[in-house]
Amino acid sequence: MNAVADARPDVRDALGRPLRDLRLSVIEACNFRCPYCMPAEQVADDYGLDAASRLSFDEMETLVRGFVQAGVTKLRLTGGEPLLRKRLPELIARLAAIEGLADIALTTNGSLLAPLASALRQAGLHRVTVSLDALDPALFKELSGGRGEVADVLKGIEAAQAAGFAPIKLNCVVQRGINEGEVLPLVEFARSHGHIIRFIEYMDVGTCNGWRRERVVPSAELRDRIHARWPLQPLGAQYRGEVASRYGFADGRGEVGFVSSVSEPFCGDCHRARVSADGRLYTCLFAAKGHDLRPVLSLGQEAVGRHLAERWSRRSDRYSELRGSAKAQRKHVEMYLVGG
Ligand code: SAM
Ligand code: SF4
Ligand code: SF4
């Protein structure tokens, strides 16, 4: 860690958790309509295409500088679909120049990645995560709300690898009775191409995806299924607050991760803030509403940093630990607004 990072205040929330990660949505629009996130029958085709409400690149840079001042070292750009944001490599180049930011990653559905991968790499993006819920073309299309072609995503992954991103992470949300049959083929695909696949439990994010607990496939069950085919051994966390629990294949050919927000909540180590494309701060993925940061952005990065430190110190969110209890919040921000 460099001198800037060392000099930063040790901001803690009300439960003693530092602020380390920022997930910044660069656009609220998406070209897919995955039913677990943005169901087509609930979200209009032209949703989020009005650019007027989005933060500008200047505002995003000030915002990220303020977050770095408050303790953030890792940034993930997301959406909606972040590759729909025009001139994204230009934004990345500006953010990559911020001292104290050790890591910049991007989460994408991959459909538009092929023509952009090399420009993203050259701009200074460190890592790419591609969401991939199925390899079967018909099922993939269905899971994208009839919008996506798996072939385009596979081309995007290939282009990212050719551009020098390594390893590439693949995210798969598994739903009972829907894409369980894709799990082993996806592991095989990841292993044979040197990618890291992570299985994410289907979460009760937002209010429009009709979440039912019966649709959740607990990570332990998936881990057992994968272990029966390719024996696994647990790997330690690479850093405190790592969201996925990691397992290596006993034959040495890569690793797999599990994000178990429903079956094994990890709120105690949650160091992550989220900001929507219109500049609202969410201190939990399941928060009901955000806090508008726009007014403070015009005051400059130092003011933003102080403001964030003050807001963070009041944070006490731990929704996943309260899920199902009377204390748990019923209304949640939509996933496509905060990007995962
Ligand atoms: N559009 C990009 C993509 O799909 O990668 C970035 C935004 S998307 C909201 C980020 C991640 O959230 C994706 O990996 C997606 O699978 C995941 N996601 C969306 N809804 C989810 C849900 N209900 N439960 C678990 N993960 C979900
Ligand atoms: Fe779009 Fe990503 Fe949500 Fe799918 S998961 S609808 S690709 S934002
Ligand atoms: Fe963090 Fe909220 Fe998820 Fe808990 S439920 S891990 S506090 S985002």
Side-chain angles (χ1 to χ4, degrees):
M1 195 60 55
N2 61 31
V4 172
D6 290 341
R8 284 182 299 212
D10 186 22
V11 180
R12 299 273 162 163
D13 72 7
L15 300 176
R17 299 168 296 187
L19 172 56
R20 292 287 177 259
D21 298 2
L22 170 63
R23 229 162 232 246
L24 174 60
S25 168
V26 295
I27 193 165
E28 54 281 59
C30 188
N31 54 341
F32 283 10
R33 286 291 180 275
C34 310
Y36 57 52
C37 175
M38 215 175 179
E41 59 287 3
Q42 310 239 13
V43 188
D45 278 356
D46 60 355
Y47 176 83
L49 291 174
D50 168 21
S53 63
R54 282 177 216 150
L55 295 185
S56 66
F57 286 0
D58 283 347
E59 287 173 311
M60 285 191 180
E61 185 180 339
T62 305
L63 177 87
V64 174
R65 286 184 182 277
F67 268 102
V68 169
Q69 195 179 301
V72 160
T73 57
K74 296 178 66 165
L75 172 67
R76 182 170 288 276
L77 300 177
T78 178
E81 174 43 47
L83 299 184
L84 287 175
R85 178 85 192 222
K86 293 204 169 66
R87 300 184 290 116
L88 188 67
E90 193 180 313
L91 173 67
I92 289 171
R94 289 176 68 165
L95 302 179
I98 298 176
E99 213 181 325
L101 200 55
D103 183 42
I104 307 183
L106 173 88
T107 302
T108 171
N109 65 28
S111 60
L112 306 167
L113 185 55
L116 279 164
S118 157
L120 293 169
R121 183 76 187 165
Q122 278 166 25
L125 185 68
H126 299 135
R127 298 185 297 123
V128 174
T129 300
V130 179
S131 302
L132 184 60
D133 292 338
L135 286 170
D136 176 80
L139 182 58
F140 181 91
K141 187 153 203 165
E142 189 186 326
L143 293 175
S144 69
R147 280 21 180 208
E149 301 293 341
V150 72
D152 293 337
V153 178
L154 298 180
K155 273 187 219 139
I157 295 169
E158 227 171 84
Q161 202 164 28
F165 290 104
I168 293 168
K169 282 194 183 142
L170 306 176
N171 273 357
C172 172
V173 177
V174 183
Q175 293 180 74
R176 176 87 65 207
I178 305 231
N179 61 338
E180 284 174 277
E182 294 291 312
V183 170
L184 293 183
L186 280 165
V187 173
E188 182 142 43
F189 170 76
R191 273 167 53 88
S192 61
H193 289 82
H195 310 317
I196 296 177
I197 185 145
R198 304 182 324 160
F199 293 100
I200 302 175
E201 286 178 349
Y202 172 39
M203 293 185 284
D204 48 339
V205 286
T207 45
C208 67
N209 68 5
W211 185 83
R212 282 180 290 135
R213 195 176 269 273
E214 311 84 79
R215 280 267 173 96
V216 179
V217 183
S219 293
E221 188 181 321
L222 289 180
R223 199 181 54 217
D224 290 350
R225 272 195 229 171
I226 297 168
H227 180 72
R229 174 73 179 80
W230 296 283
L232 295 170
Q233 51 206 20
L235 299 173
Q238 285 166 309
Y239 54 91
R240 201 169 159 231
E242 189 170 39
V243 167
S245 35
R246 301 163 54 231
Y247 289 79
F249 294 104
D251 65 7
R253 289 188 56 205
E255 64 176 77
V256 58
F258 300 93
V259 181
S260 321
S261 163
V262 180
S263 66
E264 293 170 60
F266 39 79
C267 300
D269 260 347
C270 180
H271 307 159
R272 181 169 294 168
R274 296 172 165 86
V275 176
S276 56
D278 62 353
R280 289 182 176 273
L281 169 70
Y282 293 84
T283 53
C284 177
L285 180 54
F286 298 91
K289 58 183 173 67
H291 164 72
D292 189 5
L293 292 171
R294 280 200 124 120
V296 81
L297 286 178
S298 57
L299 305 177
Q301 68 184 70
E302 315 264 304
V304 175
R306 284 194 300 274
H307 184 77
L308 291 169
E310 194 277 321
R311 294 290 310 186
W312 191 258
S313 68
R314 289 197 255 148
R315 171 187 192 242
S316 60
D317 307 273
R318 54 186 193 100
Y319 173 80
S320 287
E321 291 180 351
L322 301 174
R323 180 179 283 112
S325 81
K327 282 193 200 155
Q329 183 93 39
R330 295 270 175 266
K331 190 167 173 280
H332 312 144
V333 59
E334 297 301 335
M335 186 70 140
Y336 53 85
L337 293 178
V338 286

